Amino acid sequence: MFICFEGIDGAGKSTQARMLYQRLKNDGTDVELVADPGTTKIGTSIRQILLDSDEPITPAAQMLLFSAARAELAAYIKSRISAGVVVICDRWILSTLVYQCELNQLSPGLVLAIYAETAHVHADICFLMDIDPELAAARMGKPRDRYERSSFAEKQKLRQAYRRNAATNADAAVVHLIDASSDPKETHATIYEKFCAARLQRCHARSENASIPLSEVSGVG
């Protein structure tokens, strides 16, 4: 099972991804937390170039670097899902569509074509953390990278782009728009409830397809 968290910087997606990971781990679920870009050796190196450096990078190069990191991560995610692991990812393709197409004016068709050829791992559930940019900025504190330093007007555009893309996004089976302005524990409770419902539905589907009792279904890979 593949779960991703999306949202503007400061929305709390990383916090909620970690909370869900820890909850599932405590429940005895075989679960892993990954980040896009990151996790793999190549992805981590690319992340440093993109986020930890102030060197100018052209829009096309940014998008291609993100895509290269995602191609490596996708191969890793596929291997973990095949092993029956629930994978939780901090950002996925929706972030590239929003940031690179909204801020850098790149073609969504180009981004999706590269994604289809190099990564193409569909999320079973996408949690879109929705929050007012002013509150997100207050939570985030001092901006750390080139994207966190986006202007308030740009962050407003990013928020709307997330909502717009989520409404038409065919990459995830389900996109849940989550009010991220609530207390983190309350937000986590909502996310965990929706995850459990999706997991139960998935187990039911597997049971029906295999023509065996639900009690005999194990794992949610």
Side-chain angles (χ1 to χ4, degrees):
M1 199 169 187
F2 180 36
I3 317 299
C4 68
F5 282 80
E6 297 279 11
I8 64 173
D9 293 301
K13 57 178 181 50
S14 298
T15 297
Q16 291 301 325
R18 286 193 298 268
M19 291 177 75
L20 181 60
Y21 163 77
Q22 194 60 56
R23 180 73 172 271
L24 296 182
K25 186 177 180 181
N26 293 343
D27 288 347
T29 299
D30 195 357
V31 59
E32 187 166 346
L33 179 63
V34 300
D36 179 27
T39 304
T40 67
K41 185 174 181 180
I42 290 176
T44 299
S45 297
I46 290 175
R47 183 182 184 88
Q48 292 174 342
I49 295 172
L50 286 165
L51 303 181
D52 299 335
S53 171
D54 288 326
E55 289 296 319
I57 308 176
T58 64
Q62 290 179 49
M63 183 272 293
L64 291 170
L65 284 169
F66 276 115
S67 297
R70 186 173 300 112
E72 288 290 302
L73 183 56
Y76 179 74
I77 289 172
K78 289 176 183 177
S79 70
R80 302 307 291 147
I81 292 174
S82 296
V85 178
V86 173
V87 178
I88 300 172
C89 192
D90 186 342
R91 294 199 186 280
W92 195 235
I93 182 61
L94 190 56
S95 282
T96 298
L97 282 171
V98 168
Y99 279 81
Q100 301 307 315
C101 299
E102 191 69 27
L103 291 185
N104 289 338
Q105 300 298 303
L106 294 179
S107 164
L110 174 61
V111 172
L112 289 172
I114 293 173
Y115 171 66
E117 293 293 331
T118 60
H120 211 239
V121 180
H122 289 297
D124 295 293
I125 309 173
C126 174
F127 292 109
L128 174 54
M129 311 302 295
D130 184 52
I131 193 171
D132 184 276
E134 288 187 353
L135 179 55
R139 285 182 174 180
M140 187 172 55
K142 184 178 179 180
R144 295 165 295 180
D145 61 52
R146 70 180 76 236
Y147 299 103
E148 290 183 357
R149 289 192 292 272
S150 300
S151 68
F152 178 73
E154 288 174 326
K155 286 184 171 65
Q156 288 281 27
K157 289 174 61 178
L158 291 171
R159 182 191 187 189
Q160 295 306 314
Y162 263 118
R163 295 171 68 100
R164 185 173 63 252
N165 277 274
T168 58
N169 179 35
D171 185 62
V174 179
V175 178
H176 291 292
L177 187 66
I178 303 295
D179 180 3
S181 64
S182 303
D183 177 82
K185 291 183 179 179
E186 294 178 4
T187 303
H188 167 69
T190 298
I191 289 171
Y192 183 68
E193 179 182 2
K194 293 182 181 299
F195 170 81
C196 289
R199 177 167 60 178
L200 182 60
Q201 183 180 28
R202 187 181 179 88
C203 286
H204 272 297
R206 285 190 171 187
S207 177
E208 291 173 358
N209 290 338
S211 298
I212 59 175
L214 178 60
S215 59
E216 295 181 22
V217 177
S218 62
V220 295

